[in-house]
Amino acid sequence: MLLDSFLLILGLTLLLGGGNFLVTGASALARNLGVPPLVIGLTVVAFGTSAPELSINLLGALQGNSGISFGNIIGSNIANIGLILGLTALIRPLTIESVVISREIPMMILVSVITLIAASDMFLRSAQDMFDRSDGLVFLMLFGVFMYYTIGDLMKKRRDSLVEEAEDFAGGKGLRGTVLNIGMFVGGLAGLLGGGKISVDAAVAIAEALAVPQVIIGLTVVAFGTSLPELVTSLVATFQGKADIAVGNVVGSNIFNLLLVNGLCASITPITVPVGGGFADLAMMILLSLFLLPMSITDQKKIVRWEGAVLLGLYLGYNIWRVVG
């Protein structure tokens, strides 16, 4: 048990470090290839914060540990809103100036509802509740439409507040050579794969040792660990006065998780919805997403401290209920 806990921490550390190296190397390579900074800021950086979830869930799906995959995907989305936005809003109220964020929050809610519908196979066709390959392909097609629409629209709206912030957050070219950038990219990818393998194996072992469902470990410990990149990014953006990046990072990551991560994993192997709590997790994800909409358009388009406290309280209360219950 102690060894497995150490291995889980080691695996999550490799995931976080690998994601950081992957983003740094990929951003520099993209700039060298002439990719616009806006595209880098909205795609490479967003993908990098979701890279740990992608790695651990792909490996979990390949190994047949769908409980870990489901718990991590849904748990990460719950943590992104409840923990990350709740904590950052407590530190400093988040002013939402970008119309993109206002538009993407309803999009996130829509995607969350579609995810719930896709999981309801027992109700829709009297089959086992799961995300099957057809669901995965639909999610991936929706992801392609989402990226095309978002980037294309932003390339036309150069005055949107998120444009300048995304370009700035993408970072400069730096002095690193192409070889070093490739090395960082490859090394980051290796860290993600290795960390994902270690984390999945350790999480499964811990779940067996504690005699709890895999989904609980994925929903709590693993989801918190893989959400650390979003937490760090949002805190840094908040302290720099870039609230749009902080909120956009969370909203974009949630859409990435449901459409790209869940889509890829379900396309490889079906992800079963855990019995006795899976739909409660989906409902909690949707509830937090719904709460975010009025919070983003009231109080002069600010997520204020008391609203952050509500989000954080819901997150902590729900996780305690899931673990104890």
Side-chain angles (χ1 to χ4, degrees):
M1 178 68 177
L2 186 61
L3 177 60
D4 291 324
S5 299
F6 170 77
L7 289 174
L8 179 59
I9 295 173
L10 175 63
L12 291 174
T13 302
L14 286 172
L15 281 171
L16 300 181
N20 182 54
F21 275 104
L22 184 72
V23 168
T24 303
S27 296
L29 284 172
R31 277 185 173 271
N32 291 338
L33 293 172
V35 177
L38 171 63
V39 177
I40 298 172
L42 292 177
T43 56
V44 177
V45 175
F47 171 78
T49 56
S50 293
E53 285 91 346
L54 180 59
S55 175
I56 203 168
N57 289 310
L58 280 176
L59 289 166
L62 288 170
Q63 294 178 10
N65 300 309
S66 61
I68 295 291
S69 296
F70 179 91
N72 182 230
I73 292 170
I74 307 305
S76 292
N77 279 22
I78 292 173
N80 283 347
I81 299 176
L83 174 63
I84 296 173
L85 284 187
L87 189 59
T88 50
L90 272 176
I91 295 173
R92 179 180 295 178
L94 301 173
T95 303
I96 301 174
E97 299 177 350
S98 173
V99 296
V100 176
I101 304 302
S102 302
R103 188 183 62 214
E104 284 190 0
I105 291 176
M107 197 176 298
M108 177 183 67
I109 295 172
L110 176 62
V111 170
S112 299
V113 172
I114 291 174
T115 302
L116 175 63
I117 295 173
S120 305
D121 292 318
M122 182 62 70
F123 176 76
L124 294 175
R125 53 182 181 179
S126 299
Q128 185 178 10
D129 295 321
M130 66 172 64
F131 302 116
D132 57 24
R133 288 186 175 88
S134 60
D135 294 327
L137 293 175
V138 170
F139 287 145
L140 290 177
M141 285 189 291
L142 289 174
F143 176 74
V145 172
F146 164 72
M147 291 305 301
Y148 177 81
Y149 180 73
T150 300
I151 294 176
D153 192 48
L154 271 182
M155 293 297 284
K156 298 174 184 176
K157 291 182 178 179
R158 305 299 299 180
R159 293 185 179 180
D160 191 275
S161 60
L162 188 61
V163 172
E164 182 180 348
E165 294 180 8
E167 291 179 340
D168 184 46
F169 225 73
K173 292 183 178 180
L175 299 176
R176 291 182 299 273
T178 302
V179 175
L180 180 57
N181 291 328
I182 293 175
M184 293 183 70
F185 179 83
V186 174
L189 185 60
L192 285 171
L193 295 175
K197 170 66 175 174
I198 294 172
S199 298
V200 170
D201 291 345
V204 171
I206 291 173
E208 292 176 349
L210 295 176
V212 298
Q214 292 181 10
V215 65
I216 297 297
I217 301 298
L219 187 71
T220 55
V221 180
V222 179
F224 173 76
T226 55
S227 292
L228 285 176
E230 286 91 343
L231 178 60
V232 172
T233 301
S234 295
L235 286 175
V236 169
T238 300
F239 283 122
Q240 292 180 357
K242 302 179 186 299
D244 283 334
I245 284 290
V247 180
N249 172 55
V250 164
V251 175
S253 179
N254 278 17
I255 296 174
F256 265 58
N257 286 343
L258 292 177
L259 296 184
L260 178 62
V261 179
N262 196 29
L264 282 174
C265 292
S267 297
I268 293 173
T269 184
I271 299 176
T272 304
V273 178
V275 177
F279 281 98
D281 299 332
L282 289 167
M284 186 61 186
M285 177 185 69
I286 294 174
L287 178 65
L288 287 173
S289 299
L290 288 171
F291 272 27
L292 195 58
L293 183 59
M295 289 180 180
S296 65
I297 60 178
T298 56
D299 294 302
Q300 298 179 329
K301 292 188 176 181
K302 287 183 179 179
I303 302 177
V304 295
R305 286 189 173 90
W306 75 265
E307 292 172 330
V310 169
L311 291 175
L312 189 59
L314 286 172
Y315 170 77
L316 295 175
Y318 183 73
N319 275 274
I320 292 172
W321 174 74
R322 282 292 274 134
V323 172
V324 174

